[in-house]
Amino acid sequence: MSSQPSSLFEEGMSALAEGDWAAAARSLSEFLGSRSGPDPEPAAHFGLGSALWWTGDIRQALHHWTTAYQGFRRAGAAPEAVMAAIQLSFVHSANLGNETVAAGWVRRAGRLASQAQLPLLDGWVALAESVFEADPERAVELGRRAHAVGVAHGDGDLEVSALTAVGLAQVNAGNTDEGCALLDEAMTAAVAGEADSPDTVVFTSCLMMRACCSCADFARVVHWVRALDDFIERFGNPYLHTSCRTHYGEVLAATGDWERAETELLCAVALAAPGLPKVRADAAACLADLRITQGRADEARGVIRGFEGLPSLAAVTARLQLLDGDPAGAETTLARGLERLGSQAAPGARLRELLGLCRLAAGDPHTAADLGRQITEFGTQTGCDIVRCRGQRLLGIALSAGRDGEPADSDAARDLLEAALAGFVELDLPLDAASTRMALAEHLDSVADAQATAEARSAYAVFSALGAVPDADRAANWLRVRGATVARARGRSGLAGLTRRETEVLRLLGEGLSNPEIAGRLFVSRRTVEHHVANILSKLGLRNRAEAAGVAVRHRDGLAPK
């Protein structure tokens, strides 16, 4: 016998508070299905949207949040309407990349808050305005205003979120140390439970990740992700916004967890709106960069097809042009990308480093050395260690090459490469560390054979373990020329434990089908599909269907019907 409607609503909201998203979605869906008449039940729609968002069904979540906003407006519930509008602004930006619609929702929230004359709502609007403000100084001002309102009204969610927004704005303004200190404080407060809503942990984590990726402070992201283990075990993965998932994939790739990085990036590409290219292009750029490093350049070209010319694709496009033997084209791409990026620390440093490699390929170590000095100085001034290390590596390689027939500055080159290597190891960036070891091996080849071989062996071991095939091949060839023997590492698949039916369900998840659609395709009940999805997540160690879809896309050929 079905529960009474009021009981279903209470059950759903209780499950929502406990973080049992699947139960909340079932109860609230059944509750809304039992209603008749024009009453939209906005609170139930808003709760259902939240439950669906946490399970990875972004499109349906957006639908229910929009329906909730409409219902709150009709009911004259100004506070709830303002909060729904702010929620919609974040989703349209972070998931769909539609900054125009996001800005429209922020403006609408601001007008409604002004009409309601409730200071707390003004604080939430100031928070949203801070996040979307392009001028870092203005963003800091708005964030501080929101923080003051949160403190004055005892709203822990607003206080912690605003502290995060100020930290992000400070990083964007170039005040990296101050900004990261604020982000650490906000994350501490969020994880310690000073905010009531798990959505605050999502907001704080995503903004922290955005800030840290902008200055390439990947180690800080990894530390906080580990600190979120208890939260993730209870509520699930907080990185469900497409932009946050992209940043998370970027961090995983940089720190050597390539299998999970692929899952996150493939999910981000699949979830991004087809008609709104910015977020999808950012995810595609990260995935294509990984594909190039894996030696899968043709796949990288397919990933970025249709996004050519966008600023986020400059580094990947230049890498492909270098592989195609077109250094002049790569230089043009990089110069155009630098002009568009302006003063953004980490992305600009990456493009300058690639530009330096182009100049080295063209036999111009002098310009490459100048670029290396610029990057090193910029990284030191901004407190961005990875930028400093990249500059030191480029400068070391350039000095090792010498100029115009002059002898190389061997001691200075060695010191710079050693410093860069130590920095990359400290930052826990294995690919960068291995690449620097290989550069050091090549530099030491003529003066310290034993150390050169040891560095190359270490580099080869990391390249092989990661799956960086071109770099591993180069290191292996270098070692063979010097009489060393090497062996190729083998990969493995994680799908062997799935049953035939689970494999079918996983394949359909990869096609973007919902549980009802999968049930119809396989002629089984929805509950049966839910059971298979739960088994898939458990066996593959995944947290939600979005991650499962990413695995399915990555292993599409292996899941094809026999």
Side-chain angles (χ1 to χ4, degrees):
M1 182 176 179
S2 300
S3 301
Q4 293 297 315
S6 60
S7 176
L8 287 168
F9 177 77
E10 292 168 1
E11 289 172 6
M13 299 306 287
S14 177
L16 197 65
E18 293 298 319
D20 189 346
W21 313 120
R26 283 195 300 269
S27 294
L28 292 173
S29 293
E30 191 173 343
F31 168 73
L32 288 169
S34 71
R35 306 297 291 175
S36 60
D39 186 355
E41 297 293 344
H45 278 288
F46 194 87
L48 180 55
S50 297
L52 291 170
W53 184 86
W54 278 96
T55 61
D57 196 342
I58 308 300
R59 301 292 179 181
Q60 282 300 307
L62 189 65
H63 163 73
H64 285 285
W65 279 329
T66 303
T67 303
Y69 168 80
Q70 295 165 349
F72 289 138
R73 288 288 290 132
R74 293 191 185 99
E80 290 82 359
V82 169
M83 298 307 295
I86 290 173
Q87 179 80 320
L88 286 162
S89 73
F90 290 142
V91 174
H92 276 284
S93 173
N95 278 108
L96 305 182
N98 194 329
E99 304 299 336
T100 300
V101 174
W105 278 112
V106 172
R107 286 193 294 271
R108 192 61 188 148
R111 186 177 298 278
L112 295 176
S114 177
Q115 293 170 355
Q117 297 184 345
L118 294 174
L120 186 57
L121 294 183
D122 292 333
W124 279 102
V125 171
L127 169 67
E129 290 175 340
S130 174
V131 173
F132 295 115
E133 175 58 55
D135 179 1
E137 293 184 3
R138 173 64 174 160
V140 168
E141 177 186 341
L142 288 164
R144 286 174 174 164
R145 183 192 307 171
H147 182 262
V149 172
V151 172
H153 289 264
D155 189 327
D157 291 297
L158 178 57
E159 179 185 351
V160 172
S161 297
L163 198 63
T164 311
V166 175
L168 172 64
Q170 292 285 22
V171 170
N172 289 339
N175 304 319
T176 305
D177 291 340
E178 181 178 355
C180 286
L182 290 172
L183 292 167
D184 287 343
E185 181 184 350
M187 284 296 299
T188 299
V191 173
E194 294 186 30
D196 294 328
S197 172
D199 290 344
T200 300
V201 177
V202 174
F203 180 88
T204 303
S205 298
C206 286
L207 261 61
M208 176 273 296
M209 194 168 292
R210 185 195 305 182
C212 290
C213 284
S214 74
C215 64
D217 191 351
F218 297 134
R220 176 172 268 103
V221 175
V222 171
H223 291 155
W224 278 116
V225 168
R226 290 170 180 165
L228 285 171
D229 281 347
D230 289 343
F231 176 91
I232 291 172
E233 183 176 350
R234 177 179 177 187
F235 295 105
N237 187 350
Y239 308 120
L240 287 174
H241 286 308
T242 309
S243 58
C244 300
R245 190 181 289 277
T246 298
H247 290 316
Y248 188 34
E250 181 182 0
V251 170
L252 291 171
T255 54
D257 193 345
W258 286 9
E259 183 171 354
R260 290 174 64 202
E262 284 190 62
T263 297
E264 298 298 333
L265 294 172
L266 283 163
C267 282
V269 171
L271 289 171
L276 303 168
K278 181 180 180 299
V279 173
R280 192 180 179 97
D282 290 346
C286 291
L287 180 59
D289 198 51
L290 179 58
R291 288 286 183 257
I292 294 170
T293 307
Q294 292 170 321
R296 299 157 67 177
D298 287 342
E299 291 183 42
R301 292 185 180 91
V303 168
I304 66 172
R305 188 170 295 120
F307 301 117
E308 294 86 349
L310 292 176
S312 58
L313 271 296
V316 169
T317 302
R319 289 187 72 189
L320 290 171
Q321 289 170 316
L322 284 172
L323 287 175
D324 292 338
D326 183 14
E331 287 196 39
T332 299
T333 297
L334 293 167
R336 187 179 296 121
L338 283 167
E339 183 179 351
R340 294 180 178 180
L341 278 173
S343 61
Q344 294 183 47
R350 176 83 188 285
L351 298 190
R352 286 186 174 86
E353 183 182 21
L354 286 170
L355 186 58
L357 295 177
C358 288
R359 295 317 305 156
L360 283 170
D364 181 12
H366 177 72
T367 301
D370 287 342
L371 286 165
R373 292 188 186 94
Q374 292 174 20
I375 298 169
T376 303
E377 291 171 4
F378 189 61
T380 301
Q381 291 170 0
T382 60
C384 190
D385 291 336
I386 191 172
V387 169
R388 173 181 53 77
C389 291
R390 284 177 174 165
Q392 290 172 327
R393 179 172 60 193
L394 176 59
L395 180 55
I397 294 172
L399 293 179
S400 180
R403 70 176 77 170
D404 300 330
E406 298 177 5
D409 191 343
S410 180
D411 290 342
R414 179 172 182 167
D415 289 345
L416 285 162
L417 291 171
E418 291 277 12
L421 174 59
F424 286 130
V425 170
E426 179 69 21
L427 291 168
D428 193 21
L429 301 175
L431 180 64
D432 278 304
S435 298
T436 308
R437 285 190 188 279
M438 199 63 226
L440 186 59
E442 291 168 341
H443 172 68
L444 294 172
D445 190 25
S446 60
V447 294
D449 291 346
Q451 184 183 350
T453 301
E455 297 290 0
R457 283 188 181 280
S458 295
Y460 171 75
V462 174
F463 291 145
S464 296
L466 289 174
V469 175
D471 288 323
D473 287 344
R474 182 165 66 91
N477 290 336
W478 192 95
L479 287 164
R480 289 192 185 100
V481 167
R482 286 148 188 82
T485 57
V486 292
R488 172 70 62 208
R490 295 179 179 270
R492 60 183 178 84
S493 172
L495 303 177
L498 299 183
T499 66
R500 181 183 60 81
R501 181 63 88 183
E502 288 164 357
T503 300
E504 290 177 323
V505 171
L506 179 59
R507 176 174 57 82
L508 295 175
L509 285 174
E511 295 179 11
L513 272 62
S514 66
N515 282 1
E517 289 170 333
I518 295 174
R521 183 77 66 86
L522 299 179
F523 302 103
V524 297
S525 71
R526 296 184 184 184
R527 288 299 177 90
T528 298
V529 174
E530 290 177 5
H531 175 73
H532 288 316
V533 171
N535 286 344
I536 290 167
L537 299 183
S538 176
K539 289 181 178 181
L540 298 184
L542 305 174
R543 296 191 178 97
N544 53 53
R545 61 188 297 114
E547 291 185 1
V551 171
V553 173
R554 190 171 74 246
H555 296 283
R556 181 183 289 112
D557 291 343
L559 296 172
K562 299 295 189 274

